[in-house]
């Protein structure tokens, strides 16, 4: 349930394309970051993706790419992977919902899925070249995934590619003076195949829809009323509130207009005013009014639950790419996990050099080689909770605030102040480098150091907030529990001050994984089978292990959350538990 915002160069304040994206995913999934060097390749080399899918012949030379690598339990992640390459191309995607040909077997050698984005990133220097790479792959092998929206953008133009299972696809250029907002239905509507400067499509795209009885032209000699999305998937996709409400709220923020027809949201529109990075960030942090009405002010156990919110509990990474005057100056403003609580930090992800590494400490915990090896055969230990993996600094802060929204008041000030400071520093840094006679190598070193230091400051801020807000000492009687265990586990809850165990309402106690592990666990939390007071500062609650184990990823050390009310005030604490196979 991802969201993408594409700002054309004449619709942006920078005069260049801006792309914003919330990467949403369920289950125990998280990102680490790499820069993958390009290079020359020998004849006969092939590139492999998922097991059972096509092995694609390698090209003689590939580009260096930044890879935001999602780690996920088996069978791994094919689609939650972001790329940017050294030529200045950025790539992301959104699921496109269910499509009519979801069971198509029109594939060669199993088709391609993950390789579509990887090979576009490694081979294309422009968005238009990426479309051609995609066309060649889809025509030769077919698309093995479900319906999907791909965004490919360079500084001057952006394209959206819609692919459905099989060999049918359409790509369309985003108008320079418009913004395109993508949720989780196929985004391309009108298709004029004669406009070859702005549209690329499979040869029988319209004719196939006619033959299947999914489109009947108003005039037999004209396909002017052809609507790709409606011809290739059910309107139920657009009626789904988890998809349509994000479009409603996003378009209102972009245009100032309230669109009520969920079947006909705009494909692309001029914004009410030219958009800057901070405008895109604000939209990526949007919460639907329905969430405030039904879950705000402590009405529910957790605030962000539903995909009606653009910013949600399942957001694993959020970013905005401001395409620069030159690729080295491309600025990726990114935050791990919850956009609400995290700081968007400027990364110069292409500042890789012999003496420069733009990936900050704590943002990669496997080698690049190992990441490729385990992508579709994940080792549980790579998903373990560990604050040395800095994703978890942001994830735990986000979970605590999501379970106790009142804590958000302590998050706003430092978040806003640091982001404001970063905007000033980025502008000054790029202006100085543009004017200087600094060598390319020295520029890379300067930008890599800037990135690492900016992220260090943001992580320090998050760690300090955690120290202030995570005030409960929660300890488990067992920290490793077999999945098959039918016994109980005791959680002791202690706080230095402001927590009176005698004032805790035992009826309000709940224990579950967080949304970064299992949403189903949050929706069906464990309740204590026994509660006792150890002393005035410590409460001990016993829970059935099976109430959590049924949702647990095997072998993974996961952050779990206990919460309740003490003297009318909400409290939440975290304790790590590993459920072993």
């Amino acid at each position: 349930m991802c969201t993408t915002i594409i700002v054309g160069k004449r619709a942006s304040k920078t005069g260049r394309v801006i792309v914003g994206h919330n990467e949403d995913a369920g289950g125990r999934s998280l990102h680490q970051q790499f820069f993958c060097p390009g290079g020359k390749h020998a004849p006969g080399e092939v590139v492999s993706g998922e097991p059972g899918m096509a092995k694609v012949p390698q090209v003689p030379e590939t580009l260096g790419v930044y890879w935001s690598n999602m780690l996920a339990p088996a069978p791994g992640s094919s689609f939650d992977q972001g790329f940017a390459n050294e030529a200045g191309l950025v790539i992301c995607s959104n699921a496109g919902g269910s499509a009519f040909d979801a069971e198509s077997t029109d594939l060669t050698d199993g088709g391609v899925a993950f390789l579509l984005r990887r090979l576009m990133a490694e081979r294309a220097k422009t968005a238009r070249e990426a479309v051609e790479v995609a066309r060649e792959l889809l025509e030769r092998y077919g698309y093995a995934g479900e319906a999907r929206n791909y965004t490919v953008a360079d500084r001057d133009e952006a394209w959206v590619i819609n692919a459905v299972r099989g060999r049918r696809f359409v790509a369309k250029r985003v108008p320079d003076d418009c913004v395109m907002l993508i949720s989780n239905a196929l985004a391309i509507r009108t298709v004029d195949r004669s406009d070859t400067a702005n549209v690329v499509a499979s040869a029988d795209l319209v004719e196939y829809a006619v033959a299947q009885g999914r489109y009947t032209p108003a005039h037999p000699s004209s396909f002017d009323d052809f609507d790709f999305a409606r011809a290739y998937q059910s309107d139920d996709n657009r009626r789904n509130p988890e998809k349509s409400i994000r479009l409603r709220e996003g378009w209102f923020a972009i245009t100032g207009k309230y669109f009520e027809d969920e079947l006909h949201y705009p494909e692309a529109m001029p914004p009410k005013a030219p958009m800057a990075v901070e405008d895109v960030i604000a939209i990526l942090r949007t919460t639907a009014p329905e969430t405030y009405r039904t879950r705000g002010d402590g009405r529910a156990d957790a605030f962000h639950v539903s995909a009606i919110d653009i910013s949600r509990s399942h957001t694993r990474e959020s970013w905005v790419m401001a395409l620069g005057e030159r690729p080295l100056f491309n600025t990726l403003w990114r935050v791990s996990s919850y956009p609400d609580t995290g700081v968007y930090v400027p990364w110069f992800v292409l500042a890789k050099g012999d003496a420069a590494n733009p990936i900050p400490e704590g943002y990669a915990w496997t080698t690049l080689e190992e990441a490729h090896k385990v992508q579709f055969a994940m080792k549980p230990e790579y998903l373990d909770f560990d604050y040395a993996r800095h994703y978890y600094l942001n994830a735990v802060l986000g979970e605590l605030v999501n379970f106790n929204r009142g804590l958000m008041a302590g998050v706003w000030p430092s978040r806003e102040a640091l982001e404001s400071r970063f905007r000033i520093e980025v502008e000054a840094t790029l202006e100085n480098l543009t004017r200087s006679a600094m060598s390319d190598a020295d520029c890379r070193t300067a930008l890599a150091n800037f990135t690492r230091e900016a992220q260090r400051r943001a992580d320090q801020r998050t760690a300090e907030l955690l120290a202030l807000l995570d005030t409960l000492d929660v300890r488990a009687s067992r920290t490793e529990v077999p999945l098959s265990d039918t016994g109980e586990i005791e959680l002791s809850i202690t706080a230095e001050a402001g927590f009176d165990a005698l004032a805790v309402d035992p009826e309000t106690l709940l224990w579950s994984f967080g949304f970064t592990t299992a949403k189903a666990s949050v929706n069906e939390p464990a309740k204590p089978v026994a509660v006792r007071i150890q002393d005035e500062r410590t409460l001990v609650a016993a829970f059935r292990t099976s109430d959590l184990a049924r949702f647990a990823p095997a072998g993974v050390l996961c952050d779990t959350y206990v919460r309740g009310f003490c003297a009318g005030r909400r409290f939440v604490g975290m304790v790590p538990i590993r459920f072993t196979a």
Side-chain angles (χ1 to χ4, degrees):
M1 290 291 187
C2 305
T3 303
T4 299
I5 305 161
I6 309 165
V7 184
K9 64 182 180 182
R10 295 211 314 267
S12 81
K13 286 186 177 179
T14 67
R16 295 178 293 275
V17 171
I18 299 172
V19 178
H21 182 70
N22 276 0
E23 189 66 70
D24 299 342
R28 189 68 172 186
S29 52
L30 60 151
H31 287 86
Q32 60 177 348
Q33 282 72 35
F34 295 101
F35 187 87
C36 313
K40 298 183 184 297
H41 304 278
E45 285 188 35
V46 296
V47 188
S48 300
E50 300 88 339
M53 294 191 187
K55 299 181 187 299
V56 177
Q58 184 59 284
V59 294
E61 188 170 0
T62 53
L63 296 162
V65 301
Y66 161 79
W67 178 27
S68 187
N69 163 224
M70 175 172 275
L71 305 170
S77 167
S78 297
F79 305 109
D80 306 284
Q81 314 276 339
F83 284 100
N85 74 23
E86 62 185 340
L89 181 71
V90 60
I91 298 172
C92 62
S93 77
N94 299 45
S98 59
F100 293 129
D101 296 313
E103 305 301 321
S104 174
T105 58
D106 186 15
L107 303 170
T108 299
D109 299 332
V112 294
F114 169 67
L115 284 188
L116 183 61
R117 70 185 62 210
R118 176 181 168 181
L119 297 185
M120 286 193 292
E122 292 180 348
R123 299 178 179 185
K125 294 182 178 180
T126 66
R128 180 60 192 245
E129 285 184 12
V131 170
E132 289 304 312
V133 171
R135 180 186 62 77
E136 292 171 6
L137 291 169
L138 295 173
E139 289 180 350
R140 180 171 179 179
Y141 299 103
Y143 189 60
E146 297 179 346
R148 186 155 287 269
N149 301 281
Y150 287 88
T151 298
V152 293
D154 58 44
R155 53 165 283 179
D156 291 318
E157 64 176 2
W159 286 69
V160 172
I161 305 167
N162 278 187
V164 296
R165 187 174 174 88
R167 298 180 192 271
R168 289 172 186 89
F169 69 93
V170 59
K172 192 169 181 180
R173 189 179 186 276
V174 179
D176 291 340
D177 62 347
C178 287
V179 175
M180 193 163 183
L181 175 66
I182 304 174
S183 175
N184 292 110
L186 291 170
I188 296 177
R189 310 301 295 264
T190 60
V191 177
D192 179 0
R193 288 183 298 178
S194 67
D195 183 9
T196 56
N198 296 294
V199 175
V200 175
S202 45
D204 66 341
L205 185 76
V206 180
E207 292 79 3
Y208 177 79
V210 172
Q212 297 299 309
R214 299 169 187 161
Y215 164 59
T216 302
H219 303 286
S221 60
S222 172
F223 295 150
D224 288 350
D225 62 337
F226 177 71
D227 183 327
F228 168 74
R230 300 193 78 176
Y232 277 82
Q233 67 179 185
S234 165
D235 281 343
D236 289 344
N237 288 274
R238 279 164 287 284
R239 291 193 179 99
N240 183 338
E242 293 191 340
K243 302 174 183 182
S244 66
I245 290 176
R246 279 182 284 140
L247 289 175
R248 183 196 72 196
E249 295 304 311
W251 279 123
F252 181 76
I254 292 164
T255 67
K257 299 177 182 178
Y258 192 83
F259 297 95
E260 298 186 72
D261 184 354
E262 60 196 8
L263 296 182
H264 296 94
Y265 284 117
E267 181 181 272
M269 287 278 289
K272 59 188 176 186
M275 297 182 68
V277 166
E278 52 267 36
D279 299 317
V280 178
I281 287 174
I283 296 171
L284 293 177
R285 282 177 166 149
T286 297
T287 297
E290 288 87 343
T291 295
Y292 284 108
R293 283 200 303 269
T294 60
R295 311 192 72 84
D297 297 329
R299 289 184 178 88
D301 180 36
F303 181 66
H304 285 300
V305 173
S306 173
I308 65 173
D309 298 329
I310 293 176
S311 170
R312 56 186 294 246
S313 54
H314 275 39
T315 300
R316 298 298 186 252
E317 176 184 51
S318 181
W319 54 262
V320 178
M321 177 67 89
L323 281 301
E325 187 64 30
R326 49 188 283 212
L328 184 58
F329 292 171
N330 287 359
T331 313
L332 182 72
W333 296 80
R334 70 168 303 280
V335 60
S336 295
S337 195
Y338 286 81
D340 279 11
T341 50
V343 171
Y344 283 80
V345 182
W347 286 28
F348 294 97
V349 296
L350 302 180
K352 177 65 175 174
D354 293 339
N357 177 16
I359 306 303
E361 181 180 353
Y363 286 85
W365 46 93
T366 75
T367 64
L368 176 58
E369 293 73 22
E370 180 74 353
H372 283 302
K373 180 180 177 181
V374 303
Q375 183 178 354
F376 303 110
M378 187 54 57
K379 296 178 180 179
E381 58 266 30
Y382 292 149
L383 304 175
D384 278 354
F385 165 79
D386 184 346
Y387 276 135
R389 299 168 181 178
H390 289 183
Y391 167 87
Y392 287 109
L393 291 171
N394 294 290
V396 172
L397 177 62
E399 296 278 31
L400 293 173
V401 173
N402 200 32
F403 283 122
N404 185 2
R405 191 66 177 178
L407 298 176
M408 192 67 194
V411 172
W412 291 104
S414 62
R415 190 193 82 178
E416 297 300 296
L418 195 50
E419 287 182 357
S420 176
R421 186 63 194 165
F422 282 152
R423 286 194 293 271
I424 294 169
E425 291 173 359
V426 165
E427 184 178 357
T429 297
L430 292 179
E431 184 176 347
N432 289 338
L433 290 179
T434 300
R435 291 178 176 178
S436 75
M438 192 179 292
S439 69
D440 181 76
D442 287 344
C443 276
R444 290 177 184 275
T445 299
L447 292 173
N449 290 342
F450 179 98
T451 299
R452 295 168 68 88
E453 174 60 15
Q455 188 63 62
R456 185 200 64 76
R457 289 159 57 194
D459 289 342
Q460 180 180 349
R461 166 261 184 192
T462 305
E464 291 171 353
L465 275 176
L466 279 172
L468 292 171
L469 302 180
D470 188 14
T471 57
L472 292 185
D473 179 14
V474 183
R475 302 192 181 189
S477 58
R478 292 183 288 164
T479 56
E480 291 204 4
V481 183
L483 284 169
S484 58
D485 190 278
T486 57
E488 296 177 0
I489 186 169
E490 286 191 334
L491 302 183
S492 66
I493 306 168
T494 307
E496 291 298 324
F499 182 83
D500 180 359
L502 297 171
V504 172
D505 180 355
E507 296 296 320
T508 66
L509 288 173
L510 301 172
W511 182 42
S512 71
F513 293 110
F515 290 91
T516 51
T517 300
K519 177 180 177 179
S521 173
V522 181
N523 289 338
E524 298 181 50
K527 297 182 180 181
V529 295
V531 177
R532 60 186 171 85
I533 304 300
Q534 183 167 298
D535 56 53
E536 64 180 18
R537 291 180 46 248
T538 302
L539 176 145
V540 179
F543 296 85
R544 283 185 291 266
T545 56
S546 58
D547 286 346
L548 244 68
R550 62 194 176 113
F551 302 110
V556 179
L557 181 64
C558 294
D559 41 312
T560 72
Y561 297 86
V562 61
R563 59 261 187 206
F565 284 88
C566 176
R569 294 183 179 181
R570 180 78 161 170
F571 67 84
V572 57
M574 188 276 288
V575 58
I577 304 285
R578 188 190 308 273
F579 287 88
T580 58

